[in-house]
Amino acid sequence: MLEILIKNISKIYFSEFKRKKKIAVDTVSLSIDKAEVFGIIGVNGAGKSTIIKMIMGFIRPDSGQIFVSGKSPSDPDSRRRVGYLPENPYFYDNLTAREVLMFSCQASGLDKQTADKRIKILLKQVGLYDEQHQKLRTFSKGMTQRAGICFALVHDPDIIILDEPMSGLDPLGRKIVIDLIDDLKKRGKTVLFCSHILNDVERICDRVGIMDGGSLEKIYTKDEILETADAVNNLEEIFLKTIGRDE
Amino acid sequence: MMIRKLLALAILTYKEGVRDRALFGIGLFSLFMMTGSILVVSMFMRELHKVTVDINLSAITFAGLLLSFFVSINLMSKDIDRHTIYSVLSKPFSRSQYVWGKYLGIMLLIITAMGMLTICSSIAIWFTKFQYLVYFQGFSWIEFYKAVYAELLMFFMLNALIVFFSTITTSSFITLLFSISTYIAGQTIEEVVLFLKTKHAADMALSKGITTIIDVVQYILPNLSVFDLKTQSAHAITISWNYLAAITCYSGAYSIVLLIMASLIFNRRELK
């Protein structure tokens, strides 16, 4: 069963003054199955975040179609079963982690009892339980990132979209996130995420899409990655080869 | 479910606003002005009630303006500036629900702040009245509260404008500039229109283009001067209930139209 379907989407940005054209996403097609972990990798400006923003309905594709659980991203209902972590999440300074998570639960229609239970479990999992009543402005970048992950997962969504989930995390934080994604995978959740950290992508993804200059150059399955190269940094080699910068 | 989601967003916005450090500054400044009014009044020889009412109503207006221009703008525009909106809109909110939820939260904040300021003002006026009872024969509490209510209506409209500008601009600074300009224009447009009808204006021979522009602009800009009832309240002139009903409808209708327009524009906006 398809959870995310992307059909030939393109997006062009124009600079504000000179109206200079920049192709952010160029005719990308992609489908992600239920219970699949799909990773997108690419250099800065490759179009990874633009695709994610289009899936979330923040921006519209100039052409092509996107379906999330069979619904268009312009329909708020398409986000009912979605959990999203933006790149460099920024929350309300004067609110506590618990208040922000409670909002996430209320907005997703969870009752208070279930919300309390979920908040407690997740905060303990990411190691923020003792800081739950602390205002978010006192949080470090890593703590904010972990709070953002809780915000995305607290309502137990079926589709999880993470934009650079390892950004700003220390090795322990990275391990916690990888364990969380592993756990989501075991529970049959669909995960789409983009990252710069190739080792992590290689470790947890069922399939990996490599993007360059707005195009989805190639999609590899985990087995293909293991077969293509036998060096330690398999994905790094494949990535550089795919985008033509392996000299 | 929709109401529950709207309330969740409104309460989130309210909590974020009510804990803003700027709010404490604004509150302290207003308290200082109100307490100061008790001391200042003692320097006047007559019409003490007018001075007291004037200072207190001005303090409420000034605090409301600071709150709208600095706290409300932060609550709406900074959401977009700092991309906090990504987290909010990742929940099943439509863009229109986001606009209305934010506005409700801001209004809750304004109502709370105005409520607190009105209580403080009432205490300051009561204390002055108690000290100089003889000068307060012409004072009317009802007219004072009617003037406060009119100020609240003005802030409903001003904040709808702020929400509207936040949806069409890309930075909180531009929203601030637009909001302040519209506030000033809204406070003075009636005077300009009245002046154009005087003999002096007829002698000035303004071009037809300018008079046409003013004619059009007077219907687009909010006429905020209709909410300024300080003079009537200070002189205890009875403000009719019909007038209050009319300005309530005006503020409500203008704010609703602005919020519908804001929702429509925001629906089309790309959040890069």
Side-chain angles (χ1 to χ4, degrees):
Chain A
M1 190 186 141
L2 282 181
E3 288 283 37
I4 298 173
L5 176 64
I6 296 171
K7 282 188 196 169
N8 299 318
I9 55 162
S10 295
K11 183 75 191 172
I12 297 171
Y13 287 136
F14 291 94
S15 64
E16 277 180 28
F17 295 106
K18 292 182 179 172
R19 305 293 293 162
K20 213 175 148 191
K21 209 163 118 174
K22 187 193 181 290
I23 300 172
V25 174
D26 189 10
T27 342
V28 168
S29 293
L30 174 69
S31 59
I32 302 168
D33 282 321
K34 189 174 165 51
E36 186 181 16
V37 179
F38 191 96
I40 304 177
I41 56 173
V43 293
N44 290 331
K48 309 181 294 290
S49 293
T50 305
I51 287 188
I52 285 181
K53 283 177 191 166
M54 285 193 277
I55 293 172
M56 293 305 299
F58 301 147
I59 50 177
R60 276 178 295 276
D62 295 328
S63 61
Q65 287 176 303
I66 299 175
F67 297 99
V68 181
S69 310
K71 292 180 181 120
S72 159
S74 60
D75 179 356
D77 239 21
S78 70
R79 296 187 290 277
R80 194 167 295 282
R81 294 169 51 234
V82 173
Y84 168 68
L85 170 76
E87 187 179 4
N88 304 320
Y90 194 92
F91 293 107
Y92 298 99
D93 284 339
N94 299 314
L95 298 183
T96 65
R98 191 183 167 75
E99 284 168 336
V100 168
L101 295 183
M102 189 51 90
F103 164 73
S104 178
C105 292
Q106 285 172 338
S108 306
L110 258 66
D111 60 81
K112 195 173 177 300
Q113 217 177 356
T114 318
D116 278 336
K117 213 168 125 191
R118 288 284 306 159
I119 291 170
K120 193 176 171 185
I121 293 170
L122 266 169
L123 284 174
K124 278 191 172 164
Q125 259 182 304
V126 300
L128 285 179
Y129 188 72
D130 293 336
E131 288 84 11
Q132 62 174 315
H133 297 297
Q134 226 170 284
K135 284 188 181 160
L136 288 167
R137 68 161 175 261
T138 63
F139 276 25
S140 68
K141 193 174 184 294
M143 285 163 85
T144 308
Q145 186 77 1
R146 281 188 272 165
I149 291 164
C150 287
F151 187 88
L153 302 180
V154 74
H155 56 297
D156 197 20
D158 294 320
I159 304 168
I160 297 104
I161 299 173
L162 309 168
D163 197 348
E164 301 287 354
M166 316 295 178
S167 163
L169 293 178
D170 55 23
L172 178 67
R174 271 172 60 192
K175 162 110 182 42
I176 290 171
V177 174
I178 289 170
D179 289 347
L180 267 174
I181 297 176
D182 262 342
D183 180 50
L184 292 169
K185 195 174 160 180
K186 280 179 200 147
R187 289 169 53 215
K189 309 282 183 185
T190 309
V191 182
L192 164 66
F193 80 100
C194 63
S195 179
H196 284 116
I197 303 166
L198 303 183
N199 280 348
D200 297 337
V201 177
E202 192 176 355
R203 240 167 97 185
I204 50 183
C205 288
D206 297 318
R207 285 193 301 154
V208 178
I210 297 177
M211 287 199 71
D212 188 34
S215 301
L216 185 61
E217 297 293 338
K218 197 154 181 195
I219 296 173
Y220 293 93
T221 62
K222 197 162 194 168
D223 293 338
E224 281 172 332
I225 295 168
L226 294 171
E227 281 164 18
T228 310
D230 50 11
V232 178
N233 293 319
N234 292 336
L235 191 55
E236 193 177 320
E237 274 182 29
I238 295 169
F239 173 65
L240 292 172
K241 242 181 228 171
T242 309
I243 65 169
R245 286 171 217 175
D246 54 337
E247 312 82 40
Chain B
M1 181 63 193
M2 198 187 96
I3 302 284
R4 201 181 152 201
K5 279 196 298 180
L6 273 185
L7 273 179
L9 182 56
I11 290 167
L12 187 87
T13 308
Y14 172 77
K15 278 184 182 169
E16 173 69 5
V18 96
R19 291 177 195 165
D20 195 310
R21 285 172 189 168
L23 193 69
F24 295 110
I26 294 166
L28 278 177
F29 176 74
S30 311
L31 281 178
F32 173 74
M33 271 186 79
M34 286 162 189
T35 325
S37 78
I38 300 172
L39 301 173
V40 169
V41 159
S42 61
M43 296 173 195
F44 286 80
M45 299 299 285
R46 56 189 155 184
E47 296 187 324
L48 299 194
H49 72 282
K50 286 178 197 168
V51 179
T52 311
V53 171
D54 228 3
I55 293 177
N56 278 281
L57 282 176
S58 301
I60 291 175
T61 310
F62 192 59
L65 285 176
L66 290 177
L67 188 68
S68 302
F69 290 139
F70 297 102
V71 181
S72 300
I73 288 181
N74 269 356
L75 289 174
M76 185 75 192
S77 289
K78 288 250 165 93
D79 243 24
I80 302 167
D81 270 359
R82 295 177 176 178
H83 294 167
T84 317
I85 194 168
Y86 287 159
S87 300
V88 179
L89 287 184
S90 70
K91 301 291 147 195
F93 282 108
S94 69
R95 302 274 180 105
S96 307
Q97 285 168 347
Y98 173 81
V99 167
W100 285 90
K102 276 276 161 185
Y103 179 72
L104 277 180
I106 291 171
M107 285 335 298
L108 271 177
L109 182 67
I110 297 277
I111 290 169
T112 310
M114 292 281 283
M116 298 291 289
L117 292 170
T118 308
I119 291 169
C120 294
S121 277
S122 300
I123 295 169
I125 294 172
W126 178 83
F127 189 76
T128 319
K129 193 179 168 205
F130 180 72
Q131 274 189 309
Y132 309 101
L133 192 61
V134 72
Y135 292 101
F136 275 78
Q137 300 303 323
F139 171 75
S140 160
W141 281 109
I142 294 175
E143 300 316 315
F144 172 73
Y145 290 126
K146 280 181 188 172
V148 173
Y149 173 69
E151 289 295 337
L152 183 65
L153 292 177
M154 193 272 282
F155 288 119
F156 278 14
M157 234 163 129
L158 184 63
N159 282 282
L161 270 166
I162 287 170
V163 169
F164 173 74
F165 286 134
S166 301
T167 59
I168 59 169
T169 59
T170 49
S171 95
S172 45
F173 181 67
I174 298 173
T175 305
L176 178 67
L177 278 185
F178 279 0
S179 306
I180 291 177
S181 311
T182 312
Y183 172 75
I184 294 168
Q187 284 289 1
T188 50
I189 188 74
E190 194 178 74
E191 277 178 45
V192 173
V193 172
L194 288 175
F195 173 75
L196 286 177
K197 288 176 184 162
T198 61
K199 197 174 161 294
H200 279 295
D203 294 342
M204 283 165 69
L206 288 170
S207 76
K208 200 170 179 300
I210 289 178
T211 50
T212 314
I213 288 170
I214 293 169
D215 270 348
V216 174
V217 164
Q218 68 166 313
Y219 292 109
I220 297 172
L221 278 179
N223 185 356
L224 299 177
S225 61
V226 295
F227 302 104
D228 186 359
L229 303 178
K230 286 187 203 74
T231 315
Q232 287 92 322
S233 175
H235 289 86
I237 298 167
T238 308
I239 302 154
S240 78
W241 293 105
N242 283 346
Y243 182 80
L244 279 188
I247 59 172
T248 304
C249 291
Y250 176 55
S251 167
Y254 198 97
S255 303
I256 289 170
V257 169
L258 272 177
L259 291 172
I260 290 172
M261 279 165 52
S263 302
L264 290 174
I265 294 167
F266 202 51
N267 263 326
R268 304 283 318 149
R269 182 160 170 185
E270 301 245 301
L271 300 166
K272 286 178 198 166

